[in-house]
Amino acid sequence: MPSVVPSDPVASAEVSPEPSAVISYLGKTKIVTLGATEVRATRNDLGFNVACNMINTYDRPLNFLVTVSIGNGKDWVRTTEFDFGRIEAGQTGRETVLMEASGQGEMPDDPKVYIDSVMNY
């Protein structure tokens, strides 16, 4: 008689993967969307204009801190933080910064844009 091994509910449970970033373009602007966070990067003579939009999808007001990196994949990288104040439930916070091109390495025409972290508090 064949043996029957009960299935392990923990081993068979599906783990939901981390959300994947969606990359798109609007002219020369690169757009990276990850969940409720959108980052737009546009190159200019001084560096990159970077805009971050953060939607509060929670049912209460929260503050958000978003860390963004832009680089060429080799030797040029810049990192900045968008520290949103209180965003009401269902509302969108918006901030824009200039990430300057100073320093080592070559500034890319089509940068690699990363949403490194999104924290709420």
Side-chain angles (χ1 to χ4, degrees):
M1 184 165 194
S3 64
V4 176
V5 179
S7 64
D8 182 354
V10 175
S12 64
E14 288 187 33
V15 176
S16 62
E18 289 293 318
S20 297
V22 176
I23 299 170
S24 59
Y25 292 86
L26 181 61
K28 292 186 176 188
T29 300
K30 187 168 198 171
I31 304 167
V32 177
T33 305
L34 183 64
T37 307
E38 177 189 81
V39 174
R40 294 176 178 233
T42 307
R43 183 180 170 158
N44 63 37
D45 292 338
L46 300 174
F48 286 92
N49 286 323
V50 181
C52 183
N53 299 321
M54 180 71 230
I55 301 171
N56 181 355
T57 59
Y58 295 88
D59 61 357
R60 65 189 184 283
L62 290 170
N63 297 330
F64 291 88
L65 179 65
V66 179
T67 305
V68 174
S69 296
I70 296 180
N72 65 4
K74 295 180 281 184
D75 57 359
W76 188 90
V77 67
R78 301 291 177 271
T79 301
T80 193
E81 289 184 338
F82 295 92
D83 194 356
F84 293 95
R86 181 182 172 110
I87 301 174
E88 295 296 322
Q91 298 299 307
T92 302
R94 293 177 174 85
E95 288 190 12
T96 303
V97 299
L98 172 65
M99 295 176 77
E100 296 186 54
S102 61
Q104 299 285 330
E106 184 177 330
M107 190 172 74
D109 288 324
D110 184 15
K112 298 193 180 304
V113 179
Y114 300 98
I115 299 172
D116 298 321
S117 65
V118 176
M119 296 185 297
N120 61 58
Y121 58 99

